[in-house]
Amino acid sequence: EIVLTQSPGTLSLSPGERATLSCRANQSVRYTYLAWYQQKPGQAPRLLIYGASSRATGIPDRFSGSGSGTDFTLTISRLEPEDFAVYYCQHYGSSPPYTFGQGTKLEI
Amino acid sequence: QVQLQESGPGLVKPSQTLSLTCTVSGGSIDSGAFYWSWIRQHPGKGLEWIGNIYFSGKTQYNPSLESRVTISLDSYKSEFSLKLSSVTAADTAVYYCATYSAYDAAFDYWGQGTLVTVSS
């Protein structure tokens, strides 16, 4: 089972700044099957990035994903007020379970 | 665009079976495009994948829950269901239904979630 560890646990930044969120796997991720989600309080998660670097439909280009192997990064180039939320990475390998990281809270 | 809506009791007694249904609209549950999934989130915690079902009836379950979980699909009603048996307070969570696309290896669409509390 692949375990995903996200860092930092909490990231405190201001609007307009650049955010860099990390997701590290305990073994190499298959085919860069790594996704990122945003979750705001009281809402379901929303898919941001799939395949490590492809933006989902309707996601602004200030969101970008990168990485391969065991190290992945979600970057938000210039933070907007609506970007403050919790972010999760997720992976599925060749057999269950589908795993999520523990989340990074991005706060003002 | 696929839309998902969870329904079911918000309160379940310990040792009983939690039953939820997810109604699918805007897409065919028989299309083969998605694995129909259940995910839960304990209060204030992260996301835990419970299991999924394909239109063929093939299921996958989280090994940590497999002995208590059953996911089924009713294509006529365009819905899929979750049953979790022998619940305890540790099963109190927001339960989401979602679609998993093998094409992009991600959970594309999510229901709004429903809180299920296990309490006597």
Side-chain angles (χ1 to χ4, degrees):
Chain A
E1 175 181 338
I2 287 186
V3 176
L4 301 175
T5 302
Q6 294 185 239
S7 62
T10 301
L11 184 58
S12 299
L13 293 170
S14 300
E17 290 191 298
R18 180 185 185 92
T20 303
L21 287 67
S22 172
C23 177
R24 178 164 291 176
N26 65 339
Q27 56 187 281
S28 188
V29 166
R30 185 176 74 127
Y31 302 135
T32 63
Y33 283 170
L34 195 288
W36 289 93
Y37 303 83
Q38 177 194 67
Q39 187 178 33
K40 297 180 180 179
Q43 296 184 17
R46 176 176 71 147
L47 176 64
L48 297 175
I49 300 287
Y50 64 92
S53 60
S54 298
R55 274 187 301 277
T57 302
I59 301 304
D61 61 7
R62 65 179 181 274
F63 290 91
S64 62
S66 63
S68 64
T70 60
D71 291 300
F72 297 85
T73 300
L74 174 70
T75 301
I76 310 172
S77 58
R78 287 181 57 85
L79 286 167
E80 298 286 344
E82 63 266 28
D83 298 337
F84 291 91
V86 179
Y87 292 84
Y88 295 95
C89 57
Q90 173 262 319
H91 170 67
Y92 175 63
S94 57
S95 61
Y98 298 62
T99 57
F100 292 89
Q102 82 279 19
T104 290
K105 182 179 182 180
L106 179 56
E107 65 176 23
I108 296 178
Chain B
Q1 169 140 340
V2 175
Q3 294 183 308
L4 306 170
Q5 178 67 58
E6 304 91 350
S7 60
L11 180 65
V12 181
K13 289 181 167 49
S15 80
Q16 293 190 342
T17 295
L18 178 160
S19 296
L20 295 174
T21 296
C22 182
T23 302
V24 179
S25 59
S28 172
I29 203 167
D30 285 339
S31 69
F34 300 115
Y35 292 79
W36 305 95
S37 306
W38 288 98
I39 294 162
R40 71 180 181 179
Q41 186 169 35
H42 295 103
K45 302 298 184 183
L47 300 163
E48 180 182 31
W49 173 74
I50 299 170
N52 60 31
I53 188 166
Y54 197 48
F55 80 102
S56 62
K58 176 184 175 183
T59 55
Q60 294 178 305
Y61 298 131
N62 191 320
S64 68
L65 298 169
E66 187 165 15
S67 63
R68 300 194 291 130
V69 173
T70 303
I71 296 175
S72 59
L73 181 150
D74 186 333
S75 58
Y76 294 104
K77 293 182 178 180
S78 196
E79 60 186 33
F80 61 105
S81 300
L82 168 70
K83 291 189 185 299
L84 181 65
S85 63
S86 304
V87 297
T88 69
D91 295 307
T92 294
V94 175
Y95 287 76
Y96 295 100
C97 57
T99 62
Y100 181 82
S101 166
Y103 171 74
D104 54 23
F107 295 98
D108 300 81
Y109 300 102
W110 297 68
Q112 65 185 24
T114 187
L115 174 63
V116 179
T117 301
V118 178
S119 175
S120 56

